[in-house]
Amino acid sequence: MSTIAANRRELQKAELRAELVAAAHALVREEGYEGLTIRKLATRVGYAPMSVYSYFADKQEILMALAENAFIDLARRMRQNRPRDPLEAVRAALVEYAEFGLGNPNEYRTVFMTEKQKPPVEETFAEMERGNPAFQVITERVEACITAGKLKGDARAIATSLWTVAHGAISLLITFPFYPFGDPKAYVLRIGDLALAGLAATEVTPLTDEPGNC
């Protein structure tokens, strides 16, 4: 096979994979996690189920692809909103995270609230972090706060703590919609501000000396 033909084939595979991921996002938005099946995905794009299996071995692999795609979209939104003040830049990232989660509850449930049954194959923790550009944005902004003297300690530990708080708030808002939280986005920011105040009052130590898995 010539180089041109090989490149064309790779481009076609990438385009079909992107089409499958886009169709999976649409299914999740419309029907939730339960609506995402290989058969429904194949029907949606007009291919035989076996064609889908050549790109994704199972539902878990589709879920990982959705997560990767969601992180890219979320990171793009975060980078478009960056105030000069480093703490305000962190808050702005939390706002974008909240708007993404609250605006796409089915997708958020599927990507962020579904247990991952197996880790990505042959990926180190550093590689997995690089595959989550949204988390990189938060970490970069935390590092800017540390440089400015507004936060102290380990940047990844601080970023993970903020992610934990934001995720917890959004998860509660999605799963307990009738609880009187007040304005949803304001609630996420309020909890985020409490977390930032607590983090600013202490030097945050690393979470662990050992590499981990997402």
Side-chain angles (χ1 to χ4, degrees), residues 60-143:
Q60 173 70 15
E61 286 196 5
I62 299 175
L63 181 60
M64 297 303 293
L66 286 179
E68 181 180 350
N69 191 254
F71 290 145
I72 291 170
D73 180 53
L74 181 55
R76 176 185 56 76
R77 292 171 56 165
M78 285 178 170
R79 291 191 187 282
Q80 290 174 345
N81 183 8
R82 182 166 189 167
R84 287 192 173 186
D85 180 85
L87 275 178
E88 286 303 311
V90 171
R91 292 182 84 249
L94 294 179
V95 168
E96 293 299 333
Y97 187 82
E99 289 186 344
F100 174 83
L102 298 173
N104 304 278
N106 275 345
E107 208 160 5
Y108 192 88
R109 280 176 181 268
T110 300
V111 173
F112 295 97
M113 298 169 66
T114 303
E115 182 183 0
K116 310 305 181 286
Q117 300 295 331
K118 58 185 180 182
V121 179
E122 296 180 355
E123 270 194 319
T124 65
F125 180 65
E127 287 170 337
M128 283 188 283
E129 282 198 329
R130 285 195 295 272
N132 183 347
F135 187 74
Q136 285 183 322
V137 172
I138 296 174
T139 303
E140 289 166 7
R141 296 189 182 183
V142 165
E143 288 171 344

Side-chain angles (χ1 to χ4, degrees), residues 21-205:
V21 171
H25 276 296
L27 274 172
V28 167
R29 282 193 293 270
E30 295 166 12
E31 302 183 34
Y33 178 72
E34 294 76 14
L36 179 60
T37 67
I38 296 288
R39 185 169 296 280
K40 282 189 177 182
L41 188 55
T43 300
R44 189 149 193 135
V45 297
Y47 290 95
M50 289 308 298
S51 297
V52 178
Y53 280 114
S54 65
Y55 290 86
F56 302 106
D58 52 28
K59 190 170 179 175
Q60 173 70 15
E61 286 196 5
I62 299 175
L63 181 60
M64 297 303 293
L66 286 179
E68 181 180 350
N69 191 254
F71 290 145
I72 291 170
D73 180 53
L74 181 55
R76 176 185 56 76
R77 292 171 56 165
M78 285 178 170
R79 291 191 187 282
Q80 290 174 345
N81 183 8
R82 182 166 189 167
R84 287 192 173 186
D85 180 85
L87 275 178
E88 286 303 311
V90 171
R91 292 182 84 249
L94 294 179
V95 168
E96 293 299 333
Y97 187 82
E99 289 186 344
F100 174 83
L102 298 173
N104 304 278
N106 275 345
E107 208 160 5
Y108 192 88
R109 280 176 181 268
T110 300
V111 173
F112 295 97
M113 298 169 66
T114 303
E115 182 183 0
K116 310 305 181 286
Q117 300 295 331
K118 58 185 180 182
V121 179
E122 296 180 355
E123 270 194 319
T124 65
F125 180 65
E127 287 170 337
M128 283 188 283
E129 282 198 329
R130 285 195 295 272
N132 183 347
F135 187 74
Q136 285 183 322
V137 172
I138 296 174
T139 303
E140 289 166 7
R141 296 189 182 183
V142 165
E143 288 171 344
C145 287
I146 293 172
T147 299
K150 300 199 173 190
L151 293 171
K152 295 181 294 182
D154 182 78
R156 188 167 73 81
I158 295 171
T160 302
S161 298
L162 291 171
W163 179 26
T164 301
V165 167
H167 171 68
I170 293 167
S171 299
L172 281 173
L173 286 161
I174 290 173
T175 54
F176 291 90
F178 304 113
Y179 187 87
F181 290 103
D183 178 78
K185 188 168 74 172
Y187 176 73
V188 176
L189 278 179
R190 184 177 185 179
I191 298 302
D193 285 341
L194 288 171
L196 280 169
L199 291 166
T202 186
E203 182 164 353
V204 181
T205 59

